[in-house]
Amino acid sequence: DQQVKQNSPSLSVQEGRISILNCDYTNSMFDYFLWYKKYPAEGPTFLISISSIKDKNEDGRFTVFLNKSAKHLSLHIVPSQPGDSAVYFCAALGGGSNYKLTFGKGTLLTVNP
Amino acid sequence: NAGVMQNPRHLVRRRGQEARLRCSPMKGHSHVYWYRQLPEEGLKFMVYLQKENIIDESGMPKERFSAEFPKEGPSILRIQQVVRGDSAAYFCASSPLTVGQGIGNTIYFGEGSWLTVV
């Protein structure tokens, strides 16, 4: 029973263009969402987050959008850079726990020069 | 300014042996979490510990797995009688607090320990 789903295993974009990574969740009790970036053989690093009371949060080139009614969030990276190539994990908090992260399976982003 | 330190980074064990994975949290962090990532999967919560206390082990397999975070020293994830299905990356994370939603961006992950069971 996967509560956080990232349906695209991979995404390839050109340098300078927009990357859009999508995430869907099923548990309506989730109230905080995070994106992590992970390079091979390294641990996940926090990228950006959003509370369920907001629908958008922006940090530099990274923007996360939350659509609560659709139980959907997306991460936009503009402009994409080759160094952004990594696996991106969507994660959620809540549903009775304020410390247990529920992760999606990840999307491998490749930014081509 | 050391981050979350995990060792060993890579561990090979034969079926039936024991694996011990160690995690030293970031300085000032007293909350430790272990996550497991199986191939082609996302990270799955295993256990949450504070010093000398297991707070939540709901993600731990009922048998062969145990975790501790002693008063002194690192947190240890112990897997007894390993099987091939235990082959995975094990990530430790730490945080200074757990109250509220702030946990999300104050939790830091180590670089992981890759266990291979042959």
Side-chain angles (χ1 to χ4, degrees), chain A residues 34 36 41 43 98-101 104, chain B residues 9 35 56 58 98 103-104 110:
Chain A
L34 309 94
Y36 285 85
N98 62 358
Y99 57 80
K100 189 186 301 184
L101 290 163
Chain B
R9 292 295 313 279
Y35 284 78
D56 180 354
S58 59
T98 59
I103 176 67

Side-chain angles (χ1 to χ4, degrees), chain A residues 31-32 34 36 38 41-44 46 49 51 89 93 98-101 103-105, chain B residues 9 35 37 41-43 45 48 56 58 91 98 100-101 103-105 107 109-111:
Chain A
D31 56 8
Y32 196 73
L34 309 94
Y36 285 85
K38 184 181 178 303
E42 293 186 9
F46 171 76
S49 62
S51 166
F89 289 99
L93 272 174
N98 62 358
Y99 57 80
K100 189 186 301 184
L101 290 163
F103 282 85
K105 290 188 176 184
Chain B
R9 292 295 313 279
Y35 284 78
Q37 185 184 19
E41 297 286 325
L43 283 74
F45 170 83
Y48 162 35
D56 180 354
S58 59
F91 291 97
T98 59
Q101 295 173 339
I103 176 67
N105 57 359
I107 185 169
F109 283 85
E111 295 195 324

Side-chain angles (χ1 to χ4, degrees), chain A residues 51-84:
Chain A
S51 166
S52 59
I53 62 174
K54 294 186 175 182
D55 54 18
K56 177 182 174 182
N57 188 27
E58 192 172 350
D59 183 3
R61 296 186 297 115
F62 303 92
T63 303
V64 56
F65 295 92
L66 175 62
N67 183 333
K68 281 183 63 179
S69 61
K71 294 193 181 69
H72 176 84
L73 59 156
S74 61
L75 173 68
H76 292 211
I77 307 174
V78 183
S80 301
Q81 301 173 352
D84 295 330

Side-chain angles (χ1 to χ4, degrees), chain B residues 6-90:
Chain B
Q6 290 188 246
N7 69 82
R9 292 295 313 279
H10 298 276
L11 183 63
V12 179
R13 284 288 177 265
R14 295 187 187 281
R15 279 178 295 171
Q17 290 185 319
E18 178 179 290
R20 285 195 180 213
L21 309 177
R22 289 176 290 278
C23 170
S24 296
M26 282 183 73
K27 189 175 182 181
H29 289 193
S30 58
H31 304 261
V32 166
Y33 316 82
W34 285 93
Y35 284 78
R36 177 166 69 172
Q37 185 184 19
L38 295 169
E40 310 300 322
E41 297 286 325
L43 283 74
K44 295 271 178 26
F45 170 83
M46 298 182 76
V47 62
Y48 162 35
L49 310 106
Q50 295 178 22
K51 285 282 187 183
E52 300 184 280
N53 281 307
I54 298 174
I55 306 302
D56 180 354
E57 55 181 351
S58 59
M60 290 269 275
K62 296 286 183 262
E63 297 177 350
R64 302 187 298 107
F65 284 72
S66 63
E68 62 175 4
F69 189 16
K71 188 176 179 182
E72 302 290 337
S75 174
I76 307 277
L77 180 66
R78 182 183 180 204
I79 312 171
Q80 295 178 290
Q81 301 174 332
V82 296
V83 301
R84 287 228 171 98
D86 297 332
S87 296
Y90 292 83

